[in-house]
């Protein structure tokens, strides 16, 4: 039997009548360029999302660095509020609300997790995934 498989490589398709210089990017370069527009943080089950501190007895403020600088300050979208948990000392509290914080920037996301009670203002803690499925999407679309 004769194999009829062939491969075409080194081709660049373009719109218009003017050719541009050939571009070849690694997967890592292409991923970094895509992440300038959208990044989804999806921690492992019960893993930390971000270090945090309590601003009040019910609000924890967290920050997380982005893998690349986004093209603009992103907007944030959270999976269900109760997908997140605040862990402090030997206790935990499930989040009742998640929100972007005005301190967010092109290089980092800043957000708050609200719980019903139990935090001490100024206390260090971290915000984590609760039972899998927590995501934070940072979008800086055009």
């Amino acid at each position: 039997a004769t194999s009829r498989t062939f491969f075409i490589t080194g081709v660049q398709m373009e719109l218009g009548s003017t050719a541009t210089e050939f571009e070849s990017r690694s997967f890592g370069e292409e991923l970094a360029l895509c992440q300038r527009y959208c990044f989804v943080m999806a921690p492992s089950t019960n893993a930390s999302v971000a270090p945090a501190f309590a601003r009040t007895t019910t609000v924890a403020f967290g920050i997380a660095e982005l893998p690349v600088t986004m093209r603009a300050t992103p907007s944030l979208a959270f999976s269900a509020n109760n997908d997140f948990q605040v862990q402090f000392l030997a206790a935990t509290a499930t989040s009742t609300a998640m929100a972007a914080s005005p301190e967010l920037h092109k290089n980092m996301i800043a957000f708050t997790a609200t719980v019903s009670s139990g935090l001490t203002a100024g206390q260090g803690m971290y915000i984590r995934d609760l039972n899998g499925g927590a995501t934070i999407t940072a979008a800086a679309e055009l």
Side-chain angles (χ1 to χ4, degrees):
T2 303
S3 173
R4 293 199 165 104
T5 303
F6 65 95
F7 299 92
I8 299 174
T9 61
V11 175
Q12 178 172 297
M13 305 292 282
E14 296 185 352
L15 291 173
S17 60
T18 305
T20 62
E21 190 173 320
F22 184 77
E23 297 175 274
S24 178
R25 297 184 186 130
S26 70
F27 292 118
E29 288 172 311
E30 198 66 38
L31 176 61
L33 289 171
C34 291
Q35 287 175 332
R36 287 178 35 95
Y37 295 87
C38 184
F39 174 72
V40 179
M41 179 183 289
S44 301
T45 301
N46 298 323
S48 175
V49 174
F53 73 91
R55 281 195 163 154
T56 68
T57 58
T58 59
V59 177
F61 170 76
I63 59 170
E65 190 173 347
L66 293 164
V68 299
T69 300
M70 298 194 88
R71 60 163 288 283
T73 300
S75 60
L76 299 183
F78 302 88
S79 58
N81 290 326
N82 61 359
D83 282 345
F84 299 88
Q85 187 176 61
V86 175
Q87 182 162 4
F88 53 102
L89 298 174
T92 57
T94 300
S95 174
T96 58
M98 297 292 293
S101 181
E103 293 92 343
L104 72 119
H105 187 267
K106 294 189 298 186
N107 296 320
M108 65 164 203
I109 57 173
F111 54 94
T112 59
T114 301
V115 298
S116 59
S117 66
L119 307 180
T120 300
Q123 182 180 55
M125 57 198 57
Y126 68 93
I127 300 168
R128 70 180 197 171
D129 167 272
L130 175 61
N131 299 323
T135 61
I136 300 175
T137 301
E141 297 290 330
L142 294 174

